[in-house]
Amino acid sequence: MDGGVDVDVDVDETRDEYVERFRALAREALDELFVADRLPGLVGGRLEHFAVVDKVDKGVSIHAETRFSFRGHRFRYERQIWPPGFPLEIQTALYIEHLRERVLTRRYRAGADPEAAIEI
């Protein structure tokens, strides 16, 4: 992520501006997560879907959702991003690191249905 991005939540920044900036930073970080020379990444994994979704009418709660495959399993990860609990860069880093940590530190059954997404 670009070190030049302001990490403070600007009081004049709207929800939509914050969400769009999160979307751009998170997408860039997710793309890097699956790159072979980026360790500790999810080498061999494949990003299938990334979206920011409004969970409650009028933007009261906005979540980011990521679906991807890794080591023969499909995963789905969702986390609230609005209202923000942290400045933008920290919020984005936490989203990516939490996703990575949950995938790499859990054990998965060998016989699990490969088409069913594991909620992390």
Side-chain angles (χ1 to χ4, degrees):
M1 288 181 271
D2 181 17
V5 176
D6 185 10
V7 295
D8 295 326
V9 176
D10 185 343
V11 293
D12 295 326
E13 183 173 46
T14 67
R15 173 188 56 87
D16 291 340
E17 290 168 334
Y18 182 92
V19 168
E20 284 308 310
R21 288 178 50 213
F22 175 90
R23 182 189 328 260
L25 287 173
R27 181 57 198 235
E28 179 181 324
L30 285 167
D31 288 343
E32 290 177 10
L33 189 62
F34 297 101
V35 173
D37 62 348
R38 174 103 166 116
L39 296 175
L42 301 179
V43 177
R46 185 175 62 84
L47 180 63
E48 296 173 358
H49 174 79
F50 172 69
V52 176
V53 293
D54 196 343
K55 294 302 259 187
V56 181
D57 289 339
K58 299 184 181 161
V60 174
S61 177
I62 308 228
H63 292 230
E65 176 189 31
T66 303
R67 284 181 272 163
F68 60 97
S69 58
F70 180 66
R71 295 185 181 167
H73 297 284
R74 294 183 67 234
F75 294 91
R76 182 183 171 279
Y77 176 66
E78 183 178 313
R79 183 177 177 133
Q80 180 177 318
I81 62 163
W82 184 270
F86 298 95
L88 179 66
E89 278 195 342
I90 295 171
Q91 185 87 354
T92 305
L94 286 171
Y95 183 85
I96 300 301
E97 292 307 314
H98 196 226
L99 180 153
R100 180 190 344 244
E101 178 269 332
R102 284 184 164 197
V103 170
L104 295 176
T105 60
R106 291 190 177 175
R107 295 185 187 266
Y108 306 100
R109 293 180 301 156
D113 179 4
E115 295 303 314
I118 298 168
E119 299 285 331
I120 56 173

